[in-house]
Amino acid sequence: MNKKFDKVAYYPGCALEGTAQSYDRSTKAIGDKLGLKTVELENWNCCGAMEVKNIDPKLQTYLSARNLSIAQDMGFDKVMAPCNGCYHNLKKAEYDLKNDEGSREVVERLSGKAGHTTYEAGKVETIHALDWIKDSVGEEGIRDKVRDGLKGLKIANYYGCMYTRPRHIFPEKDQGEGSESTHKPHYMDDLLAAAGAENVEYPLKTACCGGAHTLSDSDTSTRLVLNLLQGAQACGADVIATECPTCHTGLEMHQVRAEKVFGKKTSVKILYFTQLLGLAMGVSPRKLGLQENFSDAMPLLKEKGII
Amino acid sequence: MNDVKEKIRNFDDLLTRLDEIEELDEETLLARARDLAPELLRLGEITLHFWIIARGGVPTKAKKEGFSILALHRQGAKGEPSFNACRESCRETVYQYNVIMQGDDDGQILRSLRLLVMVVRHLALFISGKLQVAGLGDFCCASKPIRQKDKDMSEMVRQA
């Protein structure tokens, strides 16, 4: 095991306390199974998400920087964020503080006003839940813990956009063999394959789902998501694995809407990769929050002998 | 290949043509694979033409890494970082095209043809969506605020 990740600060962010509680619980459940410890940031705040970023991007940088300063004060040099939006914003704050004097000035001023440590770039590394598992226990660690496995389950891995774009805020990616790729990400594929799943070739793994426009311009989002869902089915997938609460909710919501509004029904199921890994390691579906998913995967999982 | 552009006047024509290709049976797809792959590549280029022309530009005739679609994407993304949301779709279009044109395994060629249709369709859906909602891709792929023009609000926060 890579010692640098065996105990990390955990930043769940707002979504994992709300619509994506099952992602939170399944992340913690597989951490327990794999012997990886997480310590939640004390008194964390919103990363700035899209609401604050829309009004003032530098204020969003401050909000994300405050979370990084909490991690620093708690003695951590790694903070793990399973939500792509949080991961992206913390990474962007790191980049801005390294490269933009204006952002440094705002963060210093607001941190002083708020009375907490001013975060300095380079003190804390933000990692995604995928990095956490891949770089700590890796595929071998997963194989060691797999009980029943995901044999017979065909998966299309969907990474969405904020895990890899814009490329410049992810300097550790695209660093050759073994590193994550921004063009064709593979960490989720690697981990699920180690758990026995069969990954299908899915050319839309980072394609746009409409994201932030999911409510304001639903038809565009529904058409984009429908193509993602139909594409996954055409590739032979039973399941789309997700690693972002926004993607997950968007896929689920627009799967229902595509049927209602456009009369296009798709049957592919949508599950968090942590739920799939948990199932492979013998964690109960209830503990992984499968009952909270819109898309009911239970009959499929029973049919495949996974539960 | 010029006749493809003459037949495709808008996104509806383009999406209809993709549906027609998708509905072809396996035998026809395989027999025509090396005609269909360049046509699909061309349809991808046409989606980028629509974007560039709608923004008052003239589509470049240049190539990048041997492909017009990549040069057109670069042109389309100039000053518009959110357009990088479809960068991977353009590269994937080239990749699947190469697999079809260089391949000799019927199964793989058939698979790549189907994947190519999906990717070009996604490109068309994204670009047609972005022409209607300019902010598509701003927040996520460009890490930019969607309402950057709300300067008053920004100033209010700054002074608080």
Side-chain angles (χ1 to χ4, degrees):
Chain A
M1 184 192 290
N2 184 340
K3 284 279 171 203
K4 68 176 182 173
F5 287 162
D6 64 355
K7 190 175 172 186
V8 295
Y10 178 51
Y11 176 55
C14 316
L16 274 78
E17 288 208 336
T19 51
Q21 282 183 31
S22 57
Y23 191 22
D24 176 61
R25 288 209 303 278
S26 54
T27 300
K28 287 176 179 162
I30 60 167
D32 287 347
K33 277 275 174 190
L34 295 167
L36 300 171
K37 288 191 177 62
T38 54
V39 180
E40 189 164 322
L41 289 184
E42 292 159 7
N43 192 24
W44 56 264
N45 55 263
C46 168
C47 68
M50 66 180 84
E51 291 78 6
V52 177
K53 201 165 167 179
N54 277 341
I55 294 169
D56 188 332
K58 285 190 171 51
L59 186 58
Q60 181 260 304
T61 301
Y62 161 70
L63 289 171
S64 286
R66 181 179 176 272
N67 290 316
L68 293 168
S69 86
I70 295 170
Q72 192 185 340
D73 287 347
M74 287 170 70
F76 287 97
D77 62 357
K78 304 272 182 292
V79 61
M80 186 269 283
C83 164
N84 273 4
C86 298
Y87 169 69
H88 173 109
N89 279 341
L90 265 57
K91 284 284 199 191
K92 183 183 171 288
E94 182 74 29
Y95 177 85
D96 285 348
L97 290 173
K98 255 187 201 140
N99 298 286
D100 176 36
E101 182 54 41
S103 294
R104 281 196 292 270
E105 185 273 319
V106 169
V107 168
E108 200 176 321
R109 184 165 53 82
L110 294 181
S111 300
K113 260 191 176 180
H116 61 78
T117 313
T118 302
Y119 176 71
E120 284 174 47
K123 299 283 183 195
V124 177
E125 185 190 0
T126 303
I127 58 170
H128 192 273
L130 284 169
D131 301 313
W132 177 53
I133 300 165
K134 171 90 174 167
D135 293 340
S136 55
V137 298
E139 291 93 313
E140 208 170 305
I142 296 286
R143 273 185 219 107
D144 287 347
K145 296 284 177 186
V146 164
R147 224 171 60 182
D148 305 317
L150 301 174
K151 202 170 172 218
L153 197 65
K154 292 185 177 177
I155 298 181
N157 291 284
Y158 181 61
Y159 294 80
C161 52
M162 288 189 281
Y163 177 69
T164 55
R165 289 196 288 265
R167 284 177 291 161
H168 65 265
I169 66 171
F170 305 106
E172 71 286 0
K173 293 187 165 95
D174 298 322
Q175 296 300 313
E177 202 179 336
S179 74
E180 183 58 299
S181 160
T182 57
H183 172 47
K184 282 201 175 188
H186 55 86
Y187 275 19
M188 188 157 53
D189 294 67
D190 299 344
L191 295 173
L192 292 172
E198 185 187 330
N199 294 313
V200 301
E201 186 183 355
Y202 187 46
L204 302 171
K205 50 170 64 174
T206 64
C208 179
C209 68
H213 293 265
T214 203
L215 295 173
S216 59
D217 182 35
S218 295
D219 282 357
T220 296
S221 299
T222 303
R223 284 190 192 98
L224 287 165
V225 168
L226 182 62
N227 196 48
L228 295 173
L229 299 168
Q230 288 177 327
Q233 283 188 186
C235 294
D238 306 308
V239 164
I240 295 181
T242 57
E243 40 88 297
C244 165
T246 309
C247 298
H248 188 94
T249 309
L251 293 184
E252 287 197 314
M253 207 169 81
H254 288 288
Q255 185 171 39
V256 175
R257 195 171 184 275
E259 188 178 352
K260 260 191 180 167
V261 179
F262 299 136
K264 303 274 188 188
K265 187 174 167 60
T266 47
S267 58
V268 65
K269 305 301 174 197
I270 300 138
L271 291 160
Y272 287 111
F273 85 99
T274 44
Q275 292 180 316
L276 289 161
L277 286 180
L279 289 171
M281 291 190 265
V283 183
S284 77
R286 181 152 287 275
K287 203 170 173 188
L288 296 165
L290 260 73
Q291 71 282 4
E292 291 166 26
N293 292 352
F294 268 70
S295 128
D296 181 10
M298 298 297 270
L300 168 79
L301 296 168
K302 276 184 189 151
E303 183 197 313
K304 299 278 178 186
I306 292 165
I307 54 171
Chain B
M1 217 33 74
N2 277 341
D3 59 325
V4 175
K5 193 164 183 196
E6 280 161 24
K7 283 183 202 159
I8 308 294
R9 291 156 302 169
N10 51 44
F11 282 107
D12 283 345
D13 290 345
L14 199 142
L15 292 168
T16 303
R17 180 61 190 140
L18 290 173
D19 289 343
E20 286 168 5
I21 296 173
E22 196 165 55
E23 280 161 19
L24 294 173
D25 59 64
E26 286 189 5
E27 204 178 320
T28 313
L29 279 173
L30 270 177
R32 296 179 50 200
R34 288 194 170 85
D35 294 327
L36 289 171
E39 182 183 346
L40 287 163
L41 181 64
R42 183 73 180 133
L43 291 175
E45 291 165 5
I46 292 169
T47 60
L48 290 155
H49 283 194
F50 288 158
W51 168 254
I52 292 162
I53 292 166
R55 287 161 49 91
V58 177
T60 179
K61 289 194 165 51
K63 290 186 176 183
K64 183 172 177 270
E65 297 169 46
F67 287 90
S68 294
I69 193 169
L70 301 182
L72 288 164
H73 174 266
R74 176 181 274 187
Q75 183 186 11
K78 212 163 197 176
E80 186 68 62
S82 61
F83 201 67
N84 282 319
C86 67
R87 177 182 176 272
E88 272 72 35
S89 296
C90 293
R91 300 198 78 85
E92 194 68 35
T93 300
V94 169
Y95 171 73
Q96 299 298 345
Y97 167 85
N98 282 336
V99 170
I100 297 161
M101 299 307 276
Q102 310 291 327
D104 53 9
D105 173 338
D106 283 357
Q108 181 62 58
I109 290 172
L110 203 54
R111 198 159 45 245
S112 283
L113 263 174
R114 294 210 161 113
L115 298 180
L116 186 51
V117 172
M118 283 174 221
V119 176
V120 175
R121 182 184 289 121
H122 211 83
L123 192 58
L125 289 171
F126 173 76
I127 294 176
S128 60
K130 193 153 173 66
L131 283 170
Q132 288 173 48
V133 188
L136 198 62
D138 264 352
F139 165 70
C140 36
C141 299
S143 202
K144 258 173 57 180
I146 298 172
R147 294 179 200 89
Q148 211 173 23
K149 286 176 191 137
D150 291 355
K151 293 283 183 205
D152 294 344
M153 185 71 90
S154 180
E155 200 48 45
M156 211 170 76
V157 171
R158 205 170 295 283
Q159 286 168 1

